[in-house]
């Protein structure tokens, strides 16, 4: 049939080829050229209008930008206050005008009298233009006829520190200069249009030439007659004919082919893989393009003999011609073909349905379900117990756990799911596990080795009707992970050798997925263990904040989210939340390094912006080390938010590096997001970080979180932040723990796809009666008076036992401040969980502890302080430094509550 169709093509096409001037190709070419000319003309016209509009808009934008820049330039306000502003401003405006590329910059007073102008003769005269809107504080643009001609100008106000308008600045360009820009662009636009016209016409000519070649320059009536002959012959034969293009699209199907394959009416033009009625084997043949002779394929209940030959050998369309004959009468091969088809489909379905997740139990259950009832009546999967924990299995089948059981009935006597089984060496399972080869038992009633496992239960299995078994070891990479058992009952014939091969193929496909799941389980367990060991296990004791927190690992893998609560000197507390980009062990390890760095930097008592700068340098070094080691070009991405809360002043200082802004729940229940300046993510380097300071009322809640809480592929970031606001709002009396749970219930009803760290801290202030402070004159005689004053305060607090040591510490610290520091000198005592003494001055010199030699006159003061105090140290402030020392409170006194 293929040869007859090729002969029909040679017969029907060649004699009809002519050179008619009224060919289809010629008509299409004329129409295409007309459309191209029209489109290019419209495009040129649109470009001209767009260029003119853009140029005018650019002139206005440049005028506004120049005027605003000069209005805010340093020294303009000072010049306006001088007796002769023109003397200072005229040279400045001329220099700025030339640099900005505008035609004029005019500075004037609020009455419109010019201080500057490109034409000096116009200085002192009234400005030509509208100044009312600018006097009201607005930017005003207009087109006027001024001294330089027709001008486009912008007028902006000059404001003093009190936001009062003290002068005006106008800048602009002459309209003829704007127009000249358009004129300069017009030749380019017209040239581009002409080029586009030439190219488009050339392309159209090529398309017309190809169309003439495809239609052989046939006139419409000639093509109609040719295709009438074609249809008459093609649809009259009683043999199915298909023409398939090289890309797999069905180009033609005659009536017989539609009937045999039950094709839909719109089949022509669609890819053969989209035709649901075709069997996968038939689709594979049609898209392969290979030659086929009398291959048998199923089409519903029919058996078709398929022949396929490639086309295009004589310059025709690349593809294949397929002929189909109905061979349903070949009943002898139908049964075997059906069995082969079912087996192939089983393997195909197993490839799609087994291993959909990285879960060992789920993968084993998928293997059992795909084989019942199509291959076996019952399937059980036993895996080494170590595999379930991601570990390497033992070499013997002594600790296999049954993790999957599936069958046509639920009342079977097989071992139940979850049971730990110790197979004896004579069983097929133990032999297959040890050798790595499948075991076939066609008659279980005579298998003495299998009966030795559990005689009572094996008798129940035989009586139940199960008579045949295939025990196929599950192995990947040369390691046996377990055994898959396929059982057949009395309704079916026993397994044979061919089915043994099928079982091995089925198990082999599942073994790779089970091994991948095992490896993932091991890595996930290691990463989770590492990450949890790096996160804080308990919060430190402190009186400044009541803290609640949550950490949720991701649904698959772990990442680098972390949080911290770090007590600082002076009863202050630091809060930190961060996120390392990525998942797995690398992200968790990097998180641990960053968290340790934050702890180390916090001991230096650095401000948040300086701490983030040090952390940024560390991430940059980590990235550089990894690139030098692995040759990778990736950058370690991380974000961090660091805040310090002082319960004495109730002030919070914070900075962030690429992190989300924290939320603040006020005591009245309202929620705001703190406006903290956004810094770049850690590791980019080169840019400074900025801090934000805010006074937080007692009882407010500060909410720090990572992006996993609010980001989701199903919603925008703004939606997530609004949901967080709604979850926090209206509950000022709710404890931080309750707020954490409420937020997770609202935003994360299921297990998150990314790690989530949430930290909610309710602020608490120290009562004024636990704080005492004094100013100390720069006089050594004042030390004795301060000792007496501090002793009285300690007596008042019931801390007389600490009087001697505190007097000694205070004497040394004040003496050092008087001797080496500068005024003002301030002393503060804080009674919290410890007794804290702070001495501050405006000097930046820091004392250092050293061992004094026998003959040294000094150097012992700080040594005594370190011996008498539990801790001591120095922190720097914008005004100077603070030297502090802490002493533990006596046990009898008790510990003050929050």
């Amino acid at each position: 049939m293929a040869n007859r169709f090729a002969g029909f093509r040679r017969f029907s096409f060649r004699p009809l080829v002519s050179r008619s001037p009224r060919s289809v190709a010629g008509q299409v070419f004329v129409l295409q050229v007309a459309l191209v000319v029209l489109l290019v003309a419209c495009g040129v016209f649109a470009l001209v209008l767009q260029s003119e509009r853009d140029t005018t808009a650019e002139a206005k934008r440049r005028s506004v930008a120049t005027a605003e820049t000069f209005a805010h330039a340093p020294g303009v306000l000072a010049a306006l206050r001088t007796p002769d502003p023109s003397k200072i401003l005229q040279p400045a405006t001329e220099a700025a005008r030339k640099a900005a590329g505008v035609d004029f910059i005019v500075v004037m007073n609020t009455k419109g009298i010019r201080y500057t102008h490109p034409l000096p003769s116009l200085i002192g005269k009234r400005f030509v233009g509208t100044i009312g809107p600018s006097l009201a504080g607005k930017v005003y643009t207009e087109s006027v006829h001024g001294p330089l001609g027709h001008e486009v100008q912008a007028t902006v106000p000059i404001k003093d520190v009190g936001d009062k308008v003290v002068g005006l600045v106008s800048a602009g360009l002459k309209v003829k200069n704007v127009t000249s820009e358009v004129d300069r662009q017009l030749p380019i636009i017209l040239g581009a249009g002409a080029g586009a016209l030439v190219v488009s016409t050339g392309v159209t000519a090529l398309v017309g030439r190809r169309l003439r070649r495809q239609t052989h320059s046939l006139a419409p009536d000639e093509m109609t007659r040719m295709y009438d002959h074609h249809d008459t012959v093609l649809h009259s034969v009683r043999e199915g004919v298909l023409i398939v293009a090289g890309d797999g699209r069905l180009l033609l199907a005659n009536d017989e082919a539609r009937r045999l394959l039950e094709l839909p009416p719109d089949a022509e033009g669609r890819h053969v893989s989209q035709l649901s009625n075709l069997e996968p084997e038939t689709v594979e043949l049609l898209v392969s393009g290979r030659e086929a002779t009398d291959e048998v394929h199923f089409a519903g209940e029919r058996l078709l003999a398929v022949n396929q030959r490639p086309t295009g050998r004589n310059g025709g369309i690349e593809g294949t011609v397929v002929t189909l004959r109905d061979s349903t009468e070949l009943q002898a091969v139908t049964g075997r073909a059906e069995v082969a088809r079912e087996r192939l489909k089983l393997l195909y379905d197993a490839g799609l349905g087994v291993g959909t997740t990285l879960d060992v139990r789920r993968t084993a259950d998928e293997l059992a379900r795909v084989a019942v009832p199509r291959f076996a009546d019952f399937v059980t999967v036993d895996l080494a117990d170590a595999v379930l924990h991601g570990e390497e299995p033992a070499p013997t089948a002594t600790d296999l756990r049954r993790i999957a059981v599936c069958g046509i009935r639920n009342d079977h006597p097989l071992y139940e799911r979850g049971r730990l089984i110790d197979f004896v060496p004579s069983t097929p399972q133990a032999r297959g596990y040890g050798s790595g080869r499948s075991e076939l038992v066609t008659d279980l009633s005579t298998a003495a080795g299998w009966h030795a496992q559990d005689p009572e239960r094996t008798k129940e299995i035989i009586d139940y009707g199960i008579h045949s078994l295939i025990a196929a070891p599950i192995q990947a990479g040369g390691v046996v992970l377990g055994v898959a058992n396929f059982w057949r009952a009395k309704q079916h014939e026993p397994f044979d050798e061919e089915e043994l091969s099928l079982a091995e193929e089925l198990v082999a496909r599942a073994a790779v997925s089970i091994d991948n799941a095992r490896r993932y389980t091991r890595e996930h367990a290691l990463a989770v263990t590492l990450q949890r060991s790096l996160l804080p296990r308990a919060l430190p004791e402190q009186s400044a904040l009541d803290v609640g927190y949550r950490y949720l690992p991701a649904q698959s893998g772990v990442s680098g989210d972390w949080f911290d609560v770090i007590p600082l000197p002076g009863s202050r507390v630091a809060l930190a939340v961060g996120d390392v980009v990525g998942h797995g062990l690398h992200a968790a390890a990097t998180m641990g390094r960053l968290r340790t760095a934050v702890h180390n930097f916090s001991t230096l008592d650095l401000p948040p912006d300086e701490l983030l700068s040090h952390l940024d340098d560390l991430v940059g070094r980590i990235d550089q080390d990894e690139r030098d080691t692995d040759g990778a070009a990736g950058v370690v991405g991380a974000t961090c938010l660091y805040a310090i809360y002082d319960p004495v002043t109730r002030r919070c200082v914070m900075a962030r590096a690429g992190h989300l802004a924290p939320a603040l729940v006020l005591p009245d229940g309202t929620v705001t997001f703190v406006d903290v300046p956004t810094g770049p993510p850690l590791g980019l380097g080169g840019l400074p970080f900025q801090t934000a300071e805010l006074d937080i009322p007692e009882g407010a809640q500060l909410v720090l979180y990572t992006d996993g809480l609010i980001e989701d592929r199903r919603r925008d970031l703004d939606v997530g932040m609004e949901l967080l606001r709604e979850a926090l709002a209206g509950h000022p009396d709710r404890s931080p723990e309750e707020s954490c749970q409420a937020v997770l219930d609202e935003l994360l009803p299921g297990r998150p796809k990314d790690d989530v760290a949430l930290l909610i801290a309710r602020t608490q202030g120290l009562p004024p009666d636990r704080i005492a402070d004094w100013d100390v004159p720069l006089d050594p005689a004042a030390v004795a008076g301060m000792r007496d004053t501090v002793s009285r305060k300690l007596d008042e607090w019931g801390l007389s036992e600490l009087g001697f040591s505190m007097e000694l510490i205070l004497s040394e610290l004040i003496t050092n401040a008087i001797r080496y520091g500068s005024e003002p000198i301030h002393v503060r005592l804080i009674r919290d969980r410890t007794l804290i003494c702070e001495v501050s001055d405006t000097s930046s010199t820091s004392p250092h502890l050293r061992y004094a030699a026998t003959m040294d006159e000094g150097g012992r003061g700080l040594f005594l302080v370190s011996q008498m105090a539990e801790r001591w140290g120095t922190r720097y402030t914008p005004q100077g430094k603070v030297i502090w020392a802490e002493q533990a409170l006596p046990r009898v006194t008790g510990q003050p509550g929050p």
Side-chain angles (χ1 to χ4, degrees), residues 717-740:
L717 180 63
D718 294 340
V719 176
M721 297 188 73
E722 187 60 31
L723 290 175
L724 176 60
R725 182 199 302 273
E726 294 174 358
L728 294 169
H731 301 281
D733 299 329
R734 193 165 57 189
S735 69
E737 282 291 329
E738 294 172 343
S739 294
C740 285

Side-chain angles (χ1 to χ4, degrees), residues 535-551:
L535 290 172
R537 299 186 179 182
L539 297 181
E541 294 184 355
Q542 43 82 29
S543 303
L545 298 170
D546 179 17
V547 179
Y549 66 93
R550 292 289 187 277
Y551 171 76

Side-chain angles (χ1 to χ4, degrees), residues 379-407:
V379 176
T380 59
V381 179
D382 307 321
L383 294 179
D385 210 33
V387 173
L388 303 178
H389 303 92
E391 302 171 0
E392 291 288 339
T396 58
T398 57
D399 61 343
L400 298 185
R401 189 174 297 277
R402 181 147 294 177
I403 63 171
V405 179
C406 184

Side-chain angles (χ1 to χ4, degrees), residues 39 117 172 258 339 354 364 471 478 491 643 646 756 795 800 805 818 820:
L39 290 175
H117 197 277
R258 291 178 181 273
V339 171
V354 179
Q491 301 97 307
D646 189 346
V756 174
D795 293 340
S800 302
S805 57
I818 294 174
Y820 304 109

Side-chain angles (χ1 to χ4, degrees), residues 242 244 248-250 253 261-280 283 286:
L242 301 175
V244 181
R249 289 182 299 110
L250 179 61
L261 298 177
E262 299 180 357
L263 297 177
D266 60 343
E268 293 181 353
R270 295 169 58 183
H271 196 279
V272 293
S273 62
Q274 299 175 351
L275 303 176
S276 58
N277 292 340
L278 297 183
E279 296 294 331
V283 173
L286 295 181

Side-chain angles (χ1 to χ4, degrees), residues 16 38 59 68 181 207 211-212 222 231 308-309 384 388 655 674 750 833:
L16 295 176
L38 178 60
E68 287 186 334
E181 291 292 332
V207 172
L211 184 59
R212 284 195 300 273
E222 295 171 333
D231 289 341
Q308 180 169 278
R309 294 292 184 274
L388 303 178
V674 183
R833 296 180 181 270

Side-chain angles (χ1 to χ4, degrees), residues 664-675:
L664 180 64
V665 184
L666 298 176
D668 61 358
T670 59
V671 179
T672 60
F673 288 95
V674 183
D675 186 14

Side-chain angles (χ1 to χ4, degrees), residues 490-557:
K490 54 189 176 183
Q491 301 97 307
H492 298 93
E493 294 295 326
F495 291 111
D496 56 27
E497 290 293 336
E498 290 187 4
E499 290 171 322
L500 178 65
S501 300
L502 177 60
E504 291 175 343
E505 178 68 21
L506 194 62
V507 172
R509 299 194 178 200
V512 176
S513 299
I514 292 177
D515 189 52
N516 290 338
R518 177 187 68 86
R519 296 174 185 273
Y520 170 78
T521 300
R522 178 179 59 189
E523 181 178 349
H524 181 69
L526 289 174
V528 170
T529 302
L530 173 62
Q531 187 172 36
R532 291 195 180 277
S533 67
L534 296 175
L535 290 172
R537 299 186 179 182
L539 297 181
E541 294 184 355
Q542 43 82 29
S543 303
L545 298 170
D546 179 17
V547 179
Y549 66 93
R550 292 289 187 277
Y551 171 76
L552 298 179
Q555 184 176 4
S556 58

